[in-house]
Amino acid sequence: MQTSNSTPANDRRSQGKVIVLTGPSGVGKGTLVQILLQRHRELYLSVSATTRSPRPGEIDGKHYYFVSRSDFEAMIVSNHLLEWTEFAGNYYGTPRLPIEQKIAEGKIVLLEIELEGANQIRTSLPDALRIFILPPSFSVLEKRLRDRAQDSPSAIHRRLQRAQIEIDAAKEFDIQITNDDLETALHLLEAALFN
Ligand code: 5GP
């Protein structure tokens, strides 16, 4: 018979947690996350919905759910999103159901989202650990955004304006990690995730 203090091991494991990763566009969050996912099977990366057009190589359902503005607005109204925002002219949001399912499965759920979404998560999921990824400097960020040549000059301009606002808010996060040397940043992230 089970006593009140003999919680089975898989019950103790059964509650996962949520980690929010925020940082300016071009800071290298995507690279960090992809390496973490390869290294650690217990991680699950949330797939966001967005109204932005797919970039070359991006796959619907894998990188994002690419949806129309009216479909996105329907998701807002029906409360299907855990958080959402408008960023550089497009909607972005986190579908609620998969997150709840993965937490129940005991996974560590990663949300790679921008500042406003991270602030909404602070209210809706106060236990989530919020990590901010900083560039080594603003000029390095600017160079990375221009070199990756994924966005139009006007989109890059909007992203850089937004980057400054995000960097100014970094101190409000639980942890700040500078992505200068990739392996050092990964090591610091792993320490935060698995402590
Ligand atoms: P990108 O267009 O470069 O893929 O993403 C632009 C910004 O939107 C990035 O800072 C990214 O982290 C953020 N983002 C992606 N998905 C979501 C989401 O579901 N919610 C919020 N709030 N931001 C997101």
Side-chain angles (χ1 to χ4, degrees):
M1 198 175 112
Q2 227 177 284
T3 58
S4 58
N5 63 355
S6 66
T7 313
N10 51 357
D11 276 2
R12 283 200 300 272
R13 278 202 310 265
S14 64
Q15 272 304 89
K17 58 179 173 180
V18 173
I19 309 284
V20 175
L21 285 181
T22 300
S25 194
V27 79
K29 287 169 295 184
T31 305
L32 290 166
V33 165
Q34 287 312 317
I35 297 172
L36 287 174
L37 290 173
Q38 282 163 16
R39 287 187 186 175
H40 305 284
R41 294 273 156 216
E42 63 273 49
L43 298 181
Y44 168 78
L45 176 63
S46 163
V47 180
S48 297
T50 184
T51 58
R52 147 164 104 55
S53 306
R55 294 179 180 136
E58 284 185 331
I59 298 165
D60 186 38
K62 181 172 179 217
H63 297 95
Y64 280 106
Y65 295 106
F66 295 101
V67 300
S68 65
R69 286 187 82 85
S70 59
D71 284 351
F72 196 100
E73 283 159 4
M75 286 191 272
I76 298 172
V77 172
S78 58
N79 200 26
H80 276 46
L81 299 175
L82 191 58
E83 60 73 36
W84 65 273
T85 194
E86 204 158 2
F87 177 95
N90 286 297
Y91 283 132
Y92 294 82
T94 303
R96 181 188 299 278
L97 193 60
I99 306 303
E100 291 175 350
Q101 286 171 341
K102 295 296 172 184
I103 295 174
E105 286 171 19
K107 297 268 187 188
I108 299 178
V109 178
L110 299 179
L111 305 185
E112 192 209 312
I113 61 177
E114 54 67 66
L115 179 62
E116 283 185 19
N119 286 341
Q120 290 172 41
I121 296 291
R122 184 163 50 181
T123 310
S124 57
L125 296 176
D127 290 341
L129 180 70
R130 296 159 71 254
I131 302 175
F132 196 94
I133 311 293
L134 284 159
S137 70
F138 199 80
S139 53
V140 167
L141 184 72
E142 189 168 356
K143 184 170 178 334
R144 282 185 193 164
L145 268 180
R146 295 194 196 287
D147 287 355
R148 79 178 185 184
Q150 282 176 341
D151 300 291
S152 65
S154 66
I156 291 174
H157 181 69
R158 282 202 302 268
R159 281 165 187 265
L160 283 170
Q161 281 181 330
R162 179 69 173 238
Q164 190 59 63
I165 295 168
E166 297 211 328
I167 290 169
D168 289 346
K171 56 188 174 306
E172 294 163 17
F173 281 66
D174 300 312
I175 297 175
Q176 297 80 23
I177 293 174
T178 300
N179 187 18
D180 189 357
D181 175 63
L182 184 68
E183 206 45 59
T184 305
L186 282 166
H187 188 71
L188 292 169
L189 270 171
E190 286 169 329
L193 261 55
F194 302 111
N195 73 2

